[in-house]
Amino acid sequence: MIDNLNDYQPNGDVAADRWATARHLFDNGVGVPHEETTVERWERAQARFEAKDYAGAAKLLAAVVEEAPEQTGPRLLLARAYYHSAQLRRAEEQLREIIDRDPVEHYAHLMLGRTLERQARHDEAAPWLRMAAAFTGELPADTI
């Protein structure tokens, strides 16, 4: 758990994960290792995502999603982390899973459309982007 205690970002700032790790050094007393909970892993993943460590966030989020597969929030953040770290096929898989479970999750539709566009699959992206626009009421004038 404390293997990243001295991590720093390339600009010299302290890594987001450093403080989350240091906070738990003495939770269970001397010599008793702290077992990280799913919630703590989720919080660390959010901190890494906010620090733009998308690949690191994705590793943590994959574990969170495995532990709580019914939760949309971690899965959506995992898809975003995959998207930002150019793991587009993985992002697509997560987004399709979200839409299968919750067909009215408008942000997943938008993200799936953008993910497909980024892979130059524009024809496949168009219906997802239209659906996302319909959910938000932002239909283009030519479709009304």
Side-chain angles (χ1 to χ4, degrees):
M1 167 111 187
I2 61 172
D3 59 336
N4 61 350
L5 186 60
N6 295 315
D7 286 352
Y8 289 87
Q9 295 178 0
N11 66 1
D13 288 346
V14 175
D17 210 28
R18 181 177 183 197
W19 299 118
T21 301
R23 204 176 59 197
H24 298 293
L25 281 175
F26 306 103
D27 281 356
N28 296 334
V30 177
V32 179
H34 174 76
E35 182 150 341
E36 188 174 47
T37 67
T38 304
V39 171
E40 290 169 330
R41 207 172 351 276
W42 164 241
E43 289 171 350
R44 281 196 321 123
Q46 288 176 310
R48 285 205 168 187
F49 187 89
E50 289 171 14
K52 296 184 170 51
D53 176 10
Y54 301 118
K59 287 179 187 174
L60 291 169
L61 287 163
V64 171
V65 166
E66 187 175 311
E67 294 168 20
E70 71 285 351
Q71 296 293 320
T72 301
R75 191 177 296 274
L76 192 55
L77 191 59
L78 175 59
R80 291 177 63 200
Y82 282 151
Y83 178 88
H84 287 297
S85 61
Q87 299 179 62
L88 301 177
R89 293 287 184 181
R90 288 181 173 178
E92 181 182 345
E93 289 172 11
Q94 294 302 318
L95 292 164
R96 289 186 187 279
E97 179 69 28
I98 291 167
I99 292 168
D100 284 347
R101 291 172 183 235
D102 186 2
V104 295
E105 175 54 60
H106 72 279
Y107 190 65
H109 287 265
L110 176 64
M111 275 197 64
L112 180 55
R114 296 287 183 235
T115 301
L116 293 169
E117 279 185 331
R118 195 166 166 195
Q119 297 176 69
R121 295 163 59 192
H122 301 286
D123 290 342
E124 289 179 68
W128 297 106
L129 296 173
R130 279 194 305 274
M131 183 67 78
F135 281 131
T136 61
E138 299 174 7
L139 287 174
D142 64 339
T143 62
I144 297 176

